[in-house]
């Protein structure tokens, strides 16, 4: 609203998401004034959290049908900060996970030796609701002779899972422009 101060606006009291806009002053663009030009900025360039719900079929198919958690954006690399997986098991007598499959997060689903984070034997012999938080630890090579520029960020597995579980996945990330 023209003529209204930013401090007079109502506060956003929840997480910003894709499509939410910020107002910024680009001090390198002086076409609007000598102090800079007001511009809009999508919040995904600062930090964003997206949620994905995977049903049991999608979980069991992660070895053949990876889940894209963050889509590629031309001229950018995806900088993931955290992935949280909330595992949900049905009531009654669920089939426990016995596959010993590994769960991976990374940029290249064709290899299991290069990844951003992983959990070995994910959920093996488990039937409890659990929370798993993934973050990179130390220096990790995430691609084979390639770059992560213009690449999506995936969730995938080393083999088919076979337990009765489903999950909600929260991925927190930012798009980083390649300069």
């Amino acid at each position: 609203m023209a003529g209204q101060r930013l401090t007079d606006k109502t506060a956003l009291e929840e997480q910003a998401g894709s499509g939410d806009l910020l107002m910024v002053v680009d001090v390198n663009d002086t076409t609007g004034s000598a102090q800079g030009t007001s511009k809009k900025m999508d919040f995904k360039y600062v930090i964003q959290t997206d949620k994905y719900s995977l049903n049991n079929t999608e979980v069991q198919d992660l070895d053949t049908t990876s889940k894209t958690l963050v889509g590629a954006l031309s001229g950018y690399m995806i900088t993931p900060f955290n992935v949280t997986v909330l595992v949900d098991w049905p009531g009654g007598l669920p089939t426990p996970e016995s596959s010993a499959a590994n769960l991976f997060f990374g940029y290249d689903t064709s290899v299991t030796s290069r990844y951003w984070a992983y959990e070995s034997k994910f959920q093996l012999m488990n039937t409890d609701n659990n929370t798993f938080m993934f973050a990179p630890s130390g220096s990790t090579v995430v691609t084979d002779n390639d770059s992560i520029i213009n690449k999506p960020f995936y969730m995938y597995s080393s083999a088919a899972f076979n337990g009765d579980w489903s999950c909600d996945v929260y991925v927190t990330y930012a798009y980083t422009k390649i300069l």
Side-chain angles (χ1 to χ4, degrees), residues 96-108:
E97 182 60 54
S98 63
S99 69
N102 300 331
L103 182 65
F104 294 93
F105 300 94
Y107 301 90
D108 183 354

Side-chain angles (χ1 to χ4, degrees), residues 154-174:
Y154 299 103
M155 176 180 176
Y156 55 103
S157 65
S158 61
F161 290 111
N162 59 15
D164 287 339
W165 56 281
S166 59
C167 64
D168 287 334
V169 180
Y170 293 83
V171 56
T172 302
Y173 64 95

Side-chain angles (χ1 to χ4, degrees), residues 81-150:
F81 300 111
N82 174 272
V83 177
T84 301
V85 179
L86 304 176
V87 174
D88 185 47
W89 288 85
L93 297 171
T95 302
E97 182 60 54
S98 63
S99 69
N102 300 331
L103 182 65
F104 294 93
F105 300 94
Y107 301 90
D108 183 354
T109 62
S110 67
V111 294
T112 56
S113 59
R114 303 285 190 217
Y115 49 82
W116 177 80
Y118 91 107
E119 180 70 24
S120 179
K121 300 177 183 175
F122 191 73
Q123 286 290 100
L124 183 60
M125 301 313 294
N126 198 355
T127 57
D128 294 327
N129 295 341
N130 287 306
T131 299
F132 295 86
M133 296 183 76
F134 297 89
S137 59
S139 176
T140 303
V141 177
V142 296
T143 62
D144 280 321
N145 300 316
D146 203 359
S147 168
I148 63 171
I149 299 169
N150 305 327

Side-chain angles (χ1 to χ4, degrees), residues 21 25 29-30 32 41 64 71-72 120 140 152 167:
L21 301 175
V25 176
D29 179 355
T30 56
M41 179 178 179
T64 57
S120 179
T140 303
C167 64

Side-chain angles (χ1 to χ4, degrees), residues 47-63:
I47 191 170
Q48 181 169 322
T49 299
D50 293 338
K51 176 190 176 190
Y52 298 94
S53 295
L54 280 71
N55 63 36
N56 182 248
T57 300
E58 292 170 303
V59 165
Q60 290 186 0
D61 290 344
L62 280 171
D63 65 320

